[in-house]
Every structure is written in C-alpha cells, then in structure tokens.
C-alpha cells in the first residue's frame, strides 16, 4: 500500500469497533458491535432512485436522481461461544450506530493506520440466518437495514484523527474508536 | 470463540425431530422494513415492523421410526429448543434457540447408492428466544 492510502489493501484486520464520545447533538448514539466472529462484510449497494424525465422530443433517455438509499449490510461469520444469537426487535424506531474499519492491522494500533477506511452507518438488525451442519462450525449471517445516513472517513500517515471525506444524510458525531 | 456444529441437537423442548439430524438451517429471522421517508429527506429512513421467525429446515437420515407429517388445521404449535454445539458448562455456556413451530413440510428422498433422507420444514410462530446455558 502506498503512503497516503492510494493503493489496494487487504481485508485482514477489518473490524467493527465500539467507541466513546459525547454526542454533540441530543440524539442518543451507542456504537454497536455485532456479537459474531465476522468472516465477511458486504454492503448490498448504496443507490439513488433514478427518475426518468425523458420528454417526447428527446432522442436519449434523461434522468435525475431521487432519494439515496444506503441499502443493506450483510455480516457473515461464526456464532460466538457463550453469546446469545441476536434477533431483530419488532417495532424499533431507534437505529443503532455502527462503525466499521476496513483493513486495519489491529496489531499496529489506532494512530498507525496508514490510509485506512472507516464507514459509520445507522442500522437495524432485520435478518438472522443460522446454519449447523456435520463437520462445520455453526455459522451466522446478520442482515442490517441501513437508514438515515452514512459517513466515510480515511486516516493517513500523520493524521492524528480520522478525516471525514464523505457524509450523506443524518450526521454522526465524531467517534474515538476503542 | 467459534463453536463446532458437533453435538448440536434438539434438547429440552416438547418437540423433537424424527431421524438422524445432519443439518439445521434457519432460513432467516426477519423484521419488516417500513419506509418512513418524507419528501424533505435526502436519504431513505426506515423503522421496523413485525418480526417473523421464518422457517427452519432440518435435514435427516431417515430411520425406522414413522416420519412426521404436517397436521391440517393445527393451531397448537410445539415448543422446540435447539442447542448449538455441545452441552454448556460454567466455563463455556452453550448457545440455545427456543421457539414454537409447526411442521409445515416433509420431504423424503431415496436414490441409488444413497441413504434415505428426510427434510422437515418448521414454520416458526410467535417469539424466538436466543440465550446461553451452563446446564443444557
């Protein structure tokens, strides 16, 4: 990986993190870490509605964009020993904040993360699948419905904190990952 | 740490599965996503509706016992407890799923050079409870 975060980087070390900070707004925000030994994380697709505004006189289709939908996030992994499997909460109207750091080599520690990427999202747990089979670990897939907004950060060599480079929708207060 | 599927089984519930279980699959415990986006919003907003336990597929080697079938008009679901992994201890509690369900589908397969297999589909109804135990 090149300095400044310009190169590809490994998924190794990718992790959800808890955090501590005092929310600047009145909204309650607790960063949640999935109770799973994660082996994969997948964003289903952040998309914006395509609105067809083509007129009869047009030769080519013309579009404008509508509302952005952050989509879903799927987290696959193993059921953790001694930890109950999470389930969706009916009627919940309070999404949980989640912070995902891609590719950080945890052994290097926070503050030595050269060009890493961090994504904060608001999410509800909406789907749980569990599989047990002969000679396999008990595996689990959690599906999160992302709502409200998303923030993207980078942290390059020399940065003393995460730098927010993109934010859509509902904002996050700065988090100190732990 | 991760747990092996070894020794996973239906345990203390009233219901049991007839056959030698080879795989258990929760198809998906879900909650309805209700779109509450307003015209003034720039991103989609959601709240959650009713949770649905979904179905569980249990694959078995068929034994000499009578294969269980769905019961028409049944309105009395059976309680089940699935334990993932071996029996729990104080130092390593087991992971449990407790729920009530109906057998909604039974399929049997026999083919050349294969054992006879049965697949049961359980339709979960009502709440599902995930927990840990040091004794089950």
């Amino acid at each position: 990986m090149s300095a400044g975060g310009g190169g590809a980087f490994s998924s190794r070390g990718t992790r959800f993190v808890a955090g501590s900070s005092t929310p600047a707004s009145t909204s309650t925000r607790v960063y949640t870490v999935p109770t799973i030994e994660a082996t994969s994380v997948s964003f289903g697709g952040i998309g914006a509605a395509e609105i067809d505004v083509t007129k009869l006189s047009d030769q080519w289709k013309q579009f404008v964009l509508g509302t952005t939908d952050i989509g879903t996030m799927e987290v696959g992994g193993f059921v953790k020993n001694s930890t109950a499997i999470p389930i969706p909460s009916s009627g919940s109207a309070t999404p949980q904040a989640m912070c995902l750091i891609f590719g950080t080599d945890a052994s290097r520690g926070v503050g030595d993360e050269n060009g890493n990427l961090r994504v904060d999202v608001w999410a509800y747990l909406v789907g749980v699948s569990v599989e047990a089979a002969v000679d396999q670990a008990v595996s689990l897939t959690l599906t999160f419905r992302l709502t409200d907004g998303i923030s993207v950060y980078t942290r390059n060599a020399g940065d003393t904190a995460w730098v927010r480079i993109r934010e859509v929708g509902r904002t996050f207060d700065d988090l100190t990952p732990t | 740490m991760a747990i092996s599927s070894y020794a996973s089984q239906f345990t203390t519930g009233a219901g049991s599965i007839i056959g030698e279980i080879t795989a258990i699959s929760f198809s998906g415990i879900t909650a309805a996503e209700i779109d509450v986006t307003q015209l003034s919003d720039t991103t989609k907003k959601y709240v959650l509706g009713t949770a649905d336990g979904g179905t569980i597929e249990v694959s078995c080697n068929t034994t000499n016992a009578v294969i269980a079938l769905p019961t028409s008009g049944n309105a009395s679901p059976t309680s089940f407890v699935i334990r993932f992994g071996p029996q729990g201890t104080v130092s390593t509690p087991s992971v449990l799923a407790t729920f009530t369900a109906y057998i909604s589908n039974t399929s049997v397969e026999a083919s050349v050079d294969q054992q006879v297999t049965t697949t049961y589909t359980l339709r979960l109804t009502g709440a599902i409870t995930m927990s840990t135990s040091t004794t089950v």
Side-chain angles (χ1 to χ4, degrees), chain A residues 75-86:
Chain A
V75 183
F78 300 123
V79 174
K80 284 176 87 168
N81 196 332
S82 313
T83 305
I85 296 166

Side-chain angles (χ1 to χ4, degrees), chain B:
Chain B
M1 61 180 288
I3 54 178
S4 167
S5 294
Y6 168 75
S8 295
Q9 60 181 259
F10 285 83
T11 57
T12 57
S16 60
I17 295 296
I18 297 167
E20 299 169 349
I21 298 171
T22 57
I24 300 169
S25 172
F26 281 71
S27 67
I29 305 162
T30 60
E33 303 169 9
I34 302 170
D35 188 336
V36 293
T37 311
Q38 303 172 59
L39 282 174
S40 58
D41 289 329
T42 55
T43 55
K44 288 278 195 181
K45 292 184 175 177
Y46 296 86
V47 296
L48 297 189
T50 314
D52 185 344
T55 59
I56 297 176
E57 203 160 88
V58 184
S59 303
C60 306
N61 297 323
T62 307
T63 63
N64 291 326
V66 176
I67 294 168
L69 298 174
T71 304
S72 299
N74 187 1
S76 303
T78 306
S79 64
F80 291 91
V81 178
I82 294 177
R83 185 190 70 217
F84 295 105
Q87 182 173 345
T89 63
V90 172
S91 58
T92 54
S94 59
V95 177
L96 305 179
T98 304
F99 55 90
T100 57
Y102 305 99
I103 294 177
S104 62
N105 191 288
T106 303
S107 58
V108 182
E109 197 164 308
S111 58
V112 173
D113 288 342
Q114 298 289 330
Q115 74 273 46
V116 179
T117 60
T118 306
T119 303
Y120 295 103
T121 302
L122 305 180
R123 163 27 92 179
L124 277 65
T125 179
I128 180 167
T129 303
M130 300 294 192
S131 60
T132 60
S133 173
T134 57
T135 56
V136 176

